[in-house]
């Protein structure tokens, strides 16, 4: 499918427009079987290298909305897991690729990192200075979800409703004092990454990573650094008019608007434009020189 350069993630949801007949045949073929398709990052027509196998995401078809003359056919896809291609894909007679893949997941987290709280300190002896232990991955996840709730306050009930329609319900936070699982932490880390406004390079970096804790800390830091500035991946969030843009970008936009008003006031957009402005300046200089001669 043509995802318009977007990098889809596991445990996240996306809606895609079907623009060609081959894409519609692919979805129809998948609906007759497992309802799953694979999105591979890169060109499938390139030569297959077993040492650098293409990375992809398995997507499950949740809903198909047929189009008409006014709107295209759209499909709602839910990311399931990541995979590597294990052999060169073959072209199907209906115009799409078929191939075998091997799923892979993040590295398992240590047991102490899955605890609801570490509750221990690091120190060799009681006489030495005791340093607080770093938070566990479960605590980082809870902190990120608290910051996510703060984002919902900034976008209001309408923004939260749009978010839940697009991404589904927010996963529950790990309960304090109770252990969680590595699989649950991986799902939550990808959910948070998909919920934030990120560029393709950032998504590709964490899509290929197997570091759950690093992904959680990255999302938590993004939310913490944002403060009151919206950073959720909502419709229109990447627009230059969105408040999620940087303060420098907003300042530059303000300067550009002021410059347009000044140009309008000076008549640069009227007939004659800059030539008329320069002509008026030359005429004013001639009058000033004549007035100076009278003063001599």
């Amino acid at each position: 499918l043509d995802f318009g350069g977007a990098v889809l993630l596991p445990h996240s949801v996306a809606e895609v427009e079907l623009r060609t007949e081959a894409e519609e045949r692919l979805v129809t073929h998948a609906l007759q079987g497992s309802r799953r398709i694979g999105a591979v990052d890169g060109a499938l027509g390139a030569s297959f290298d077993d040492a650098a196998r293409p990375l992809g995401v398995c997507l499950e078809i949740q809903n198909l909305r047929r189009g008409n003359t006014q709107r295209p056919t759209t499909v709602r896809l839910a990311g399931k897991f990541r995979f590597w291609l294990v052999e060169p894909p073959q072209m199907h007679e209906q115009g799409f690729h078929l191939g075998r893949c091997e799923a892979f997941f993040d590295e398992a987290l240590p047991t102490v990192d899955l605890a609801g709280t570490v509750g221990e300190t690091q120190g060799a002896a009681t006489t030495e200075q005791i340093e607080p232990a770093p938070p566990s991955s479960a605590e980082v996840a809870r902190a990120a979800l608290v910051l996510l709730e703060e984002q919902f306050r900034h976008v209001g009930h309408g923004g939260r409703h749009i978010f839940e329609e697009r991404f589904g319900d927010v996963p529950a936070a790990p309960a304090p004092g109770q252990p969680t699982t590595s699989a649950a932490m991986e799902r939550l880390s990808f959910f948070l990454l998909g919920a934030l406004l990120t560029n393709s390079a950032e998504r590709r970096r964490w899509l290929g990573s197997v570091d759950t804790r690093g992904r959680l800390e990255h999302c938590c830091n993004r939310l913490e650094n944002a403060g009151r500035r919206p950073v959720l991946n909502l419709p229109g969030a990447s627009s230059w008019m969105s408040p999620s843009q940087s303060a420098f970008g907003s300042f530059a936009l303000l300067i550009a608007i002021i410059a347009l008003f000044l140009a309008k006031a000076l008549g640069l957009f009227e007939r004659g434009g800059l030539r008329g402005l320069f002509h008026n300046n030359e005429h004013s200089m001639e009058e000033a020189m004549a007035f100076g001669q009278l003063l001599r």
Side-chain angles (χ1 to χ4, degrees), residues 253-267:
L253 176 61
L254 178 61
I255 295 297
I257 293 175
I258 293 175
L260 289 175
F261 276 116
L262 289 175
K264 177 65 176 178
L266 293 173

Side-chain angles (χ1 to χ4, degrees), residues 141-159:
R142 283 202 301 272
L145 289 173
V146 170
L147 294 170
L148 182 63
E149 286 293 330
E150 291 292 328
Q151 285 284 315
F152 290 144
R153 294 182 184 178
H154 301 326
V155 299
H157 294 290

Side-chain angles (χ1 to χ4, degrees), residues 24-196:
E24 294 196 19
R25 290 194 295 266
L26 166 62
V27 172
T28 301
H29 180 82
L31 289 174
Q32 294 172 355
S34 63
R35 301 179 64 90
R36 292 185 176 186
I37 61 176
V40 177
D41 188 18
L44 288 176
S47 59
F48 185 82
D49 185 1
D50 190 65
R53 294 180 292 175
L55 166 67
V57 177
C58 176
L59 304 166
E60 185 176 70
I61 301 173
Q62 289 189 332
N63 183 43
L64 177 66
R65 187 171 65 233
R66 296 292 181 180
N68 50 38
T69 56
Q70 298 180 349
R71 59 179 176 83
T73 300
T74 59
V75 59
R76 182 178 174 88
L77 303 170
K80 306 304 290 184
F81 56 83
R82 294 167 291 172
F83 63 81
W84 301 107
L85 287 179
V86 298
E87 65 180 12
Q90 304 297 322
M91 178 64 71
H92 192 271
E93 60 183 6
Q94 294 185 354
F96 51 85
H97 288 89
L98 292 177
R100 294 194 306 117
C101 64
E102 177 184 354
F104 74 95
F105 305 93
D106 285 351
E107 295 178 350
L109 293 168
T111 303
V112 66
D113 215 22
L114 295 172
T117 178
V118 177
E120 297 180 356
T121 56
Q122 295 178 347
T126 57
T127 57
E128 298 181 3
Q129 184 179 1
I130 299 177
E131 297 180 359
S136 65
S137 294
E139 291 174 313
V140 175
R142 283 202 301 272
L145 289 173
V146 170
L147 294 170
L148 182 63
E149 286 293 330
E150 291 292 328
Q151 285 284 315
F152 290 144
R153 294 182 184 178
H154 301 326
V155 299
H157 294 290
R160 179 164 192 152
H161 179 70
I162 295 174
F163 179 90
E164 291 178 348
E165 277 191 343
R166 185 171 187 178
F167 298 103
D169 296 332
V170 178
Q178 296 185 4
T180 182
T181 63
S182 296
M185 290 293 95
E186 179 180 349
R187 287 194 297 269
L188 179 56
S189 69
F190 276 115
F191 177 87
L192 291 171
L193 184 63
L196 298 178

